[in-house]
Amino acid sequence: MAPKTKADPKPKADKAKKAPAPKKADASKKETKDAKAPTKAVQKALKVQKKVVKGAHGTRVKKVRTSVKFYRPKTFRTPRNPKYPRKSTPKRNKMDAYTIIKNPLTTESAMKKIEDNNTLVFICD
């Protein structure tokens, strides 16, 4: 893509020297419009390339060593091997068929609803 940007200035120089016919001038205008878009894309691509090459985090900082001795890092991680279960029994699910509906509502408005609309009102969990 870089050679395209180098090729663009040459036709402009020819246009200034020879002064071509108007039809060719229109064609060159179209070329310049088309040429502007790729140059922006090329610039954007170059910026991205720079980021990829350098890395997202910029320059690296050298670690300052505070002790004279070097200890190898501890990399071994033993898998869990429990001697006994931490819970004696599994957790019981408290939501069953009997705990969803707790009790019927017995307020005056609920009683009126029962009489007028034949509708029962329950307290639910």
Side-chain angles (χ1 to χ4, degrees), residues 104-116 119-122:
L105 190 66
T106 55
T107 59
E108 284 184 30
S109 59
M111 289 297 185
K112 188 175 183 199
K113 198 168 258 192
I114 291 167
E115 292 167 4
D116 295 345
T119 306
L120 294 170
V121 181
F122 291 95

Side-chain angles (χ1 to χ4, degrees), residues 11-47:
K12 290 178 185 176
D14 294 337
K15 179 185 162 189
K17 292 178 184 177
K18 295 179 184 176
K23 289 181 182 178
K24 289 183 181 178
D26 292 337
S28 65
K29 285 181 184 177
K30 288 180 183 177
E31 287 176 16
T32 54
K33 285 182 183 178
D34 293 338
K36 284 181 183 177
T39 54
K40 285 182 182 178
V42 168
Q43 287 173 350
K44 194 173 185 181
L46 289 171
K47 278 185 182 178

Side-chain angles (χ1 to χ4, degrees), residues 58-77:
T59 57
R60 296 208 175 190
V61 179
K62 208 165 202 179
K63 186 184 174 187
V64 178
R65 297 205 173 268
T66 55
S67 65
V68 181
K69 295 180 180 179
F70 173 76
Y71 294 101
R72 283 183 295 169
K74 293 178 175 78
T75 57
F76 183 69
R77 290 181 183 157

